[in-house]
Amino acid sequence: MVHVLSIWLLVAAFAGAGLVNAIGTSGTRTDFARWCYPRWWGIVTGGLEILSAVLIALPVSRIVGMALGAAIIAAAFFTVLRHRDYAHLAPLSVFVTLIALAVIAS
Protein backbone atom coordinates (compact mmCIF):
# COMPACT_ATOMS: atom_id res chain seq x y z
CA MET A 1 0.00 0.00 0.00
CA VAL A 2 2.80 2.44 0.90
CA HIS A 3 4.50 1.53 -2.38
CA VAL A 4 1.48 2.36 -4.53
CA LEU A 5 0.69 5.51 -2.57
CA SER A 6 4.27 6.81 -2.74
CA ILE A 7 4.44 6.19 -6.49
CA TRP A 8 1.20 8.03 -7.24
CA LEU A 9 2.08 10.91 -4.92
CA LEU A 10 5.42 11.15 -6.72
CA VAL A 11 3.67 11.14 -10.11
CA ALA A 12 1.29 13.89 -8.93
CA ALA A 13 4.13 15.94 -7.43
CA PHE A 14 6.30 15.81 -10.58
CA ALA A 15 3.31 16.47 -12.84
CA GLY A 16 2.23 19.45 -10.74
CA ALA A 17 5.73 20.90 -10.47
CA GLY A 18 6.23 20.33 -14.18
CA LEU A 19 3.06 22.22 -15.07
CA VAL A 20 3.98 25.13 -12.80
CA ASN A 21 7.49 25.34 -14.26
CA ALA A 22 6.39 24.87 -17.88
CA ILE A 23 3.59 27.44 -17.64
CA GLY A 24 6.00 29.83 -15.94
CA THR A 25 4.15 31.60 -13.16
CA SER A 26 5.57 34.99 -12.22
CA GLY A 27 7.18 33.53 -9.10
CA THR A 28 8.76 30.71 -11.05
CA ARG A 29 10.11 33.07 -13.71
CA THR A 30 11.51 35.33 -10.98
CA ASP A 31 13.23 32.39 -9.28
CA PHE A 32 14.83 31.12 -12.50
CA ALA A 33 16.02 34.65 -13.36
CA ARG A 34 17.45 35.11 -9.85
CA TRP A 35 19.31 31.83 -10.25
CA CYS A 36 20.76 33.10 -13.57
CA TYR A 37 19.03 30.55 -15.80
CA PRO A 38 17.83 31.56 -19.28
CA ARG A 39 14.15 32.39 -19.80
CA TRP A 40 13.42 29.04 -21.48
CA TRP A 41 14.94 27.00 -18.64
CA GLY A 42 11.62 26.73 -16.80
CA ILE A 43 10.02 25.15 -19.87
CA VAL A 44 12.83 22.60 -20.13
CA THR A 45 12.66 21.85 -16.41
CA GLY A 46 8.88 21.53 -16.52
CA GLY A 47 9.07 19.24 -19.54
CA LEU A 48 11.59 16.99 -17.82
CA GLU A 49 9.45 16.88 -14.67
CA ILE A 50 6.35 15.94 -16.67
CA LEU A 51 8.37 13.30 -18.54
CA SER A 52 9.56 11.94 -15.20
CA ALA A 53 5.94 11.75 -13.97
CA VAL A 54 4.88 9.82 -17.08
CA LEU A 55 7.83 7.43 -16.82
CA ILE A 56 7.15 6.79 -13.12
CA ALA A 57 3.47 6.12 -13.84
CA LEU A 58 4.34 3.35 -16.31
CA PRO A 59 5.64 0.22 -14.56
CA VAL A 60 7.98 -0.68 -17.43
CA SER A 61 9.85 2.65 -17.18
CA ARG A 62 9.43 3.42 -13.48
CA ILE A 63 13.11 3.03 -12.55
CA VAL A 64 14.18 5.34 -15.40
CA GLY A 65 11.57 7.88 -14.32
CA MET A 66 12.72 7.79 -10.71
CA ALA A 67 16.35 8.20 -11.81
CA LEU A 68 15.41 11.18 -13.98
CA GLY A 69 13.37 12.64 -11.13
CA ALA A 70 16.25 12.15 -8.70
CA ALA A 71 18.61 13.92 -11.10
CA ILE A 72 16.18 16.84 -11.45
CA ILE A 73 15.82 17.16 -7.69
CA ALA A 74 19.59 16.89 -7.17
CA ALA A 75 20.14 19.73 -9.65
CA ALA A 76 17.47 21.77 -7.87
CA PHE A 77 19.13 21.12 -4.50
CA PHE A 78 22.50 22.29 -5.82
CA THR A 79 20.91 25.40 -7.33
CA VAL A 80 19.11 26.26 -4.10
CA LEU A 81 22.20 25.67 -1.97
CA ARG A 82 24.49 27.59 -4.34
CA HIS A 83 22.19 30.62 -4.21
CA ARG A 84 21.39 30.20 -0.50
CA ASP A 85 17.68 30.17 -1.24
CA TYR A 86 16.83 27.89 1.67
CA ALA A 87 13.07 28.47 1.51
CA HIS A 88 12.99 25.97 -1.38
CA LEU A 89 14.58 23.16 0.65
CA ALA A 90 11.32 22.02 2.27
CA PRO A 91 9.50 21.20 -1.00
CA LEU A 92 12.62 19.54 -2.36
CA SER A 93 12.83 17.42 0.78
CA VAL A 94 9.29 16.17 0.09
CA PHE A 95 10.41 15.01 -3.37
CA VAL A 96 13.46 13.27 -1.89
CA THR A 97 11.27 11.51 0.68
CA LEU A 98 8.76 10.36 -1.95
CA ILE A 99 11.53 9.11 -4.24
CA ALA A 100 13.16 7.24 -1.36
CA LEU A 101 9.85 5.64 -0.34
CA ALA A 102 9.12 4.58 -3.91
CA VAL A 103 12.60 3.11 -4.38
CA ILE A 104 12.64 1.31 -1.02
CA ALA A 105 9.16 -0.11 -1.54
CA SER A 106 9.98 -1.33 -5.07
Side-chain angles (χ1 to χ4, degrees):
M1 180 66 179
V2 171
H3 171 66
V4 173
L5 184 61
S6 64
I7 286 173
W8 288 108
L9 285 173
L10 191 58
V11 168
F14 271 115
L19 286 174
V20 168
N21 284 327
I23 291 170
T25 64
S26 62
T28 303
R29 285 192 306 265
T30 301
D31 287 341
F32 280 114
R34 187 176 61 246
W35 298 328
C36 302
Y37 288 114
R39 298 189 80 156
W40 49 266
W41 195 252
I43 296 169
V44 171
T45 301
L48 289 172
E49 289 169 334
I50 292 168
L51 176 61
S52 180
V54 170
L55 292 172
I56 293 168
L58 302 172
V60 70
S61 59
R62 186 163 293 148
I63 297 300
V64 174
M66 286 193 276
L68 175 60
I72 293 166
I73 297 305
F77 254 111
F78 287 123
T79 295
V80 166
L81 292 176
R82 185 177 75 220
H83 292 278
R84 297 182 178 153
D85 198 353
Y86 303 122
H88 289 276
L89 287 178
L92 292 174
S93 298
V94 171
F95 278 94
V96 169
T97 302
L98 288 173
I99 292 169
L101 283 173
V103 169
I104 290 169
S106 294

